[in-house]
Amino acid sequence: MRNIKIAQKLGLSFLFISIFPLVIVAILAYNNAKAAMTEQVIAGLLATSESAAHQIENYFLERKRDVTTLSMDPTLIDAAEKLNQAFLNGGLDTLNYRAMDQQVRPFLTYFRDTTGFHDLFLISPAGDAFFSVNQGEDLGSNYKTGRYKDSELAHVFDRANTLLETEISDFGYYQATNEPAAFVAAPIIKQGEVVGVVALQMSNQEVYRLVQDYTGLRQTGEIVIGSRVREKATFITPVRHDPHAAFRRQIAMGSDTDKPLQKAVQAKRGAGIAIDYRGQEVLAAWRYLPTPRWGIVVKMDTAEAFASIDRLRNLSAAIAGTVLLVVVFAAGFISKSISDPIVKLKQITEAFTRGDLRQRVKSVSSDEVGELAGSFNTMADRIDKNTSELLFANAELKTIQGDLERRVRERTAELESTNQHLEAFTYSVAHDLRSPLRGIDGLSKILIEDYATVLDAKGADYLNRVRKAAKKMDQIITALLSLTKITRTALCYHPVSLSSLASELAEELRKEYSGRAVEVIIAKELYAECDPDLLRVLLANLLDNAFKFSSKVAQARIEFGLRHEADQAIFLSPTTAWGFPWNTVKKSLPLSKGCTSKPIFPEQGLVWQPCNGLCIVMGAKYGQRHKRMAGQRFFGPCL
């Protein structure tokens, strides 16, 4: 949003404010209409399922009453008894059986045709089918022991013969007719004794006619009748989209396909949206039929059921599109009218920031934007005035700065000239002092060597002390020259092992002070970022001081280590040595001030100054403790 211009922001804001409620209202209206349509369609499907269930139930009850009435007809009872006896005496081909068959067949055929059954059977209590109107291949078979003992006709015969009530079979495949069939059976009772069972095969076409009535189901609606066979929901009748579905199409119980049929055959009732056996989304209503033990599902594709809703949605989308175009145009116009003055003010501000201080905003409105333009013009006038004053002050400042730079250059030139003179003077003094020192040392040596027999011990001692003093003076001159060179040396920083360097220098000093017993302890793994050459000079001076100022201690100990204080690395060289009075230390550090007190060690004022100079050059610090046994230390960067 940061890179979007204000006109775009305003336009988007207008669009959001106007379109968001429109979208919400449209979605709510569509969902409400869809819910109402769903309720309406489901109500129609429920009504259809109730009507179909009522018709099927009535059909089965009527067929059951027809068979019950027939079983109590005296003519049937007498005929059944005689036909059974003739069948037992000689079978189906005897003259007696044929005579009886001719007598009873017209009556039973008429009953079959008028009641709409497919076939009529008379079965003996022993299970023999001794009569059939259609005279199919099952005539003469035994339903207890024969090839049809597992058929639905055998099951319904057994229940009617055992329970002595009219029974209706399940709808199942009947091998004798090679098609699905259902049967109604009733016991034939004479004087309290069962003389046979009358069974009628219901017409499939009558059942199919009931479920193939698609009134109110439009183009995709259909009625599905199913029965639970083991762990599958089996289609009992043909369906609109699969005329050969009867006993061929099955749905596994528990699968995700055709949930309504699975629930219906489990004696459940309900309605809703589901996926049918074709994989299509449908609106369905389902229930259970207790008399035939069937499940019935009345369904319709949601695409067809919600077609009017879809048309409403498309119409709403077209209206929303038109409204959107109008809103976009209005939002663009309004946002432009608001943003144009702001954009103009932005352009003038940019020109103002580039240095054109004469730019001013022409205000054409009295709203907040007009007030902002007026405030900008006032600010611009003040800035213009202040800028003029600053330019004048800057000119004066440049004049003063130029004068200061000139003075600095002159002073720098004077200092460089003075330094050069001081350096030349230092070398001249060092040269002039070394010549008489060499003479003093040389003459003293000649006196000691050539007049050793003339001089007594005291005179020889004096001459040796003169030579030592000359050598010390030469060392002091050398230290002064080294200190002068340090200030002109270009530094080159590298990681340096202080432990290794200190160990090397300590070995050299042990050789120089070979006549002394000094314990040197150097910490390991000490590193610092510094100039290696200057560090060698610094450590040499530090350790030499330690050896020198511990000379009056019989068992001297020199330590070199590290300690951290206040985020600084402190390299310590504590020494078992004499301390110095603080007033002596303060007077000794500046070389320009002499040491008024008598020093404990010779040259104590000059041995500290090179160390301090080396530390300053390398960006470190050097310090001493004036207490006895305290030693010296320097501060620097530690790796």
Side-chain angles (χ1 to χ4, degrees):
M1 292 294 289
R2 294 183 178 179
N3 297 326
I4 300 177
K5 295 182 178 180
I6 188 169
Q8 297 173 340
K9 289 183 179 179
L10 289 172
L12 292 175
S13 299
F14 287 137
L15 289 176
F16 178 79
I17 294 172
S18 58
I19 293 177
F20 183 73
L22 179 64
V23 171
I24 296 298
V25 170
I27 292 175
L28 292 177
Y30 175 77
N31 290 336
N32 290 335
K34 186 175 182 180
M37 181 61 69
T38 302
E39 292 179 1
Q40 182 180 353
V41 174
I42 288 178
L45 295 176
L46 287 172
T48 303
S49 66
E50 291 293 334
S51 175
H54 181 70
Q55 293 180 40
I56 294 172
E57 289 280 355
N58 286 341
Y59 174 77
F60 275 92
L61 290 175
E62 288 175 1
R63 301 290 81 78
K64 189 174 181 180
R65 284 195 296 267
D66 292 339
V67 174
T68 302
T69 302
L70 178 62
S71 68
M72 294 184 292
D73 189 286
T75 303
L76 177 68
I77 296 172
D78 184 62
E81 186 177 18
K82 292 178 180 180
L83 279 172
N84 186 29
Q85 188 63 41
F87 176 78
L88 293 175
N89 289 336
L92 300 174
D93 296 328
T94 63
L95 293 176
N96 188 25
Y97 178 84
R98 289 179 180 177
M100 290 301 301
D101 181 82
Q102 290 178 359
Q103 291 180 10
V104 75
R105 180 171 295 277
F107 168 69
L108 296 179
T109 303
Y110 175 78
F111 181 84
R112 181 202 66 176
D113 295 339
T114 56
T115 55
F117 284 99
H118 178 72
D119 198 1
L120 186 150
F121 300 88
L122 293 177
I123 306 171
S124 69
D128 295 318
F130 58 85
F131 178 83
S132 170
V133 172
N134 293 343
Q135 293 182 324
E137 65 179 23
D138 48 355
L139 179 61
S141 62
N142 188 283
Y143 285 101
K144 287 188 176 182
T145 60
R147 59 185 296 193
Y148 304 112
K149 64 180 180 179
D150 294 323
S151 65
E152 292 297 329
L153 178 54
H155 295 159
V156 75
F157 155 73
D158 182 63
R159 291 199 301 273
N161 189 42
T162 303
L163 301 176
L164 302 181
E165 292 181 356
T166 303
E167 293 289 332
I168 301 176
S169 73
D170 292 333
F171 216 96
Y173 175 76
Y174 187 46
Q175 187 177 359
T177 58
N178 197 28
E179 64 180 359
F183 301 89
V184 182
I188 303 173
I189 302 173
K190 181 178 181 181
Q191 296 178 356
E193 182 180 354
V194 178
V195 297
V197 173
V198 58
L200 285 91
Q201 180 180 349
M202 289 190 291
S203 173
N204 293 344
Q205 297 305 319
E206 287 295 322
V207 178
Y208 294 169
R209 181 184 61 80
L210 294 175
V211 299
Q212 289 176 352
D213 182 8
Y214 303 130
T215 303
L217 297 180
R218 305 182 191 176
Q219 299 299 317
T220 61
E222 62 182 355
I223 300 174
V224 179
I225 301 293
S227 177
R228 182 168 185 174
V229 180
R230 298 182 181 87
E231 292 302 318
K232 293 183 178 179
T234 303
F235 283 52
I236 299 299
T237 61
V239 291
R240 189 175 200 170
H241 303 295
D242 187 1
H244 305 289
F247 291 94
R248 294 184 180 181
R249 184 177 290 277
Q250 295 179 320
I251 305 297
M253 301 299 292
S255 66
D256 293 331
T257 304
D258 214 336
K259 289 287 188 181
L261 183 59
Q262 297 181 47
K263 294 177 180 179
V265 299
Q266 297 179 71
K268 296 180 181 179
R269 181 193 294 261
I273 297 177
I275 304 298
D276 70 352
Y277 61 90
R278 300 169 298 149
Q280 296 293 323
E281 186 182 73
V282 296
L283 268 174
W286 58 89
R287 59 162 295 174
Y288 182 69
L289 303 177
T291 298
R293 295 181 292 279
W294 291 350
I296 180 172
V297 178
V298 181
K299 63 186 184 66
M300 180 189 299
D301 289 0
T302 55
E304 184 179 24
F306 297 144
S308 58
I309 294 297
D310 292 337
R311 289 193 296 271
L312 176 62
R313 179 190 60 195
N314 295 336
L315 178 61
S316 300
I319 296 174
T322 304
V323 172
L324 177 61
L325 292 176
V326 174
V327 170
V328 169
F329 178 78
F333 177 78
I334 296 173
S335 62
K336 184 174 178 61
S337 63
I338 296 175
S339 63
D340 279 353
I342 300 176
V343 172
K344 182 64 176 177
L345 178 59
K346 171 180 172 293
Q347 293 172 351
I348 293 177
T349 303
E350 289 176 349
F352 196 84
T353 56
R354 289 193 296 267
D356 189 1
L357 303 182
R358 295 171 298 176
Q359 292 287 341
R360 296 295 184 271
V361 181
K362 295 180 180 179
S363 178
V364 294
S365 62
S366 58
D367 55 8
E368 287 81 358
V369 177
E371 293 177 359
L372 179 61
S375 299
F376 174 82
N377 292 335
T378 302
M379 178 192 68
D381 293 338
R382 292 179 180 176
I383 291 176
D384 192 13
K385 179 181 178 182
N386 293 338
T387 301
S388 300
E389 295 176 355
L390 287 174
L391 288 174
F392 179 76
N394 190 39
E396 291 185 349
L397 183 61
K398 286 184 178 179
T399 302
I400 296 172
Q401 182 179 359
D403 184 58
L404 288 175
E405 289 177 352
R406 178 183 56 78
R407 292 182 184 181
V408 169
R409 287 194 297 269
E410 292 176 356
R411 183 59 178 166
T412 302
E414 292 176 0
L415 290 175
E416 289 179 353
S417 176
T418 301
N419 286 336
Q420 291 175 357
H421 287 301
L422 286 175
E423 186 176 351
F425 175 75
T426 301
Y427 278 99
S428 176
V429 169
H431 182 270
D432 293 344
L433 288 176
R434 276 179 169 170
S435 294
L437 283 176
R438 292 192 189 98
I440 293 171
D441 183 62
L443 290 175
S444 300
K445 182 178 180 182
I446 292 173
L447 287 174
I448 292 173
E449 292 176 352
D450 295 344
Y451 295 94
T453 56
V454 178
L455 295 172
D456 56 7
K458 191 173 183 179
D461 179 60
Y462 287 157
L463 288 175
N464 285 327
R465 291 172 65 181
V466 169
R467 291 196 66 194
K468 287 183 180 180
K471 289 181 179 180
K472 291 295 182 181
M473 189 63 184
D474 185 68
Q475 292 176 357
I476 292 172
I477 293 172
T478 300
L480 288 173
L481 291 176
S482 298
L483 185 61
T484 304
K485 291 178 181 179
I486 288 172
T487 59
R488 303 195 310 271
T489 303
L491 300 182
C492 184
Y493 289 92
H494 297 289
V496 180
S497 174
L498 278 73
S499 300
S500 301
L501 184 58
S503 300
E504 179 184 344
L505 294 172
E507 288 299 321
E508 295 177 1
L509 289 170
R510 277 197 182 96
K511 295 177 181 178
E512 182 177 347
Y513 295 92
S514 57
R516 293 179 52 200
V518 180
E519 179 185 4
V520 180
I521 301 173
I522 298 175
K524 297 181 179 180
E525 302 296 331
L526 298 183
Y527 293 91
E529 184 86 14
C530 58
D531 186 289
D533 296 331
L534 294 183
L535 182 65
R536 172 178 283 274
V537 176
L538 172 62
L539 289 183
N541 277 274
L542 288 174
L543 293 175
D544 184 65
N545 289 349
F547 270 85
K548 181 184 300 180
F549 298 133
S550 63
S551 59
K552 295 184 179 297
V553 180
Q555 295 293 329
R557 185 181 69 190
I558 299 173
E559 296 183 17
F560 183 78
L562 172 69
R563 188 175 72 210
H564 291 277
E565 289 185 5
D567 297 329
Q568 288 184 315
I570 304 176
F571 299 99
L572 302 170
S573 179
T575 309
T576 306
W578 292 91
F580 310 110
W582 181 238
N583 58 349
T584 302
V585 173
K586 289 191 293 181
K587 295 177 181 179
S588 298
L589 284 175
L591 288 178
S592 61
K593 294 184 180 180
C595 181
T596 56
S597 301
K598 181 179 180 180
I600 300 175
F601 294 94
E603 306 90 25
Q604 71 181 39
L606 291 174
V607 293
W608 292 327
Q609 192 63 25
C611 296
N612 190 43
L614 287 168
C615 287
I616 292 172
V617 170
M618 290 192 293
K621 295 181 181 180
Y622 173 74
Q624 303 145 344
R625 296 291 181 88
H626 62 279
K627 295 182 180 179
R628 179 181 174 84
M629 313 291 284
Q632 54 195 342
R633 60 181 180 175
F634 72 94
F635 307 79
C638 178
L639 297 181

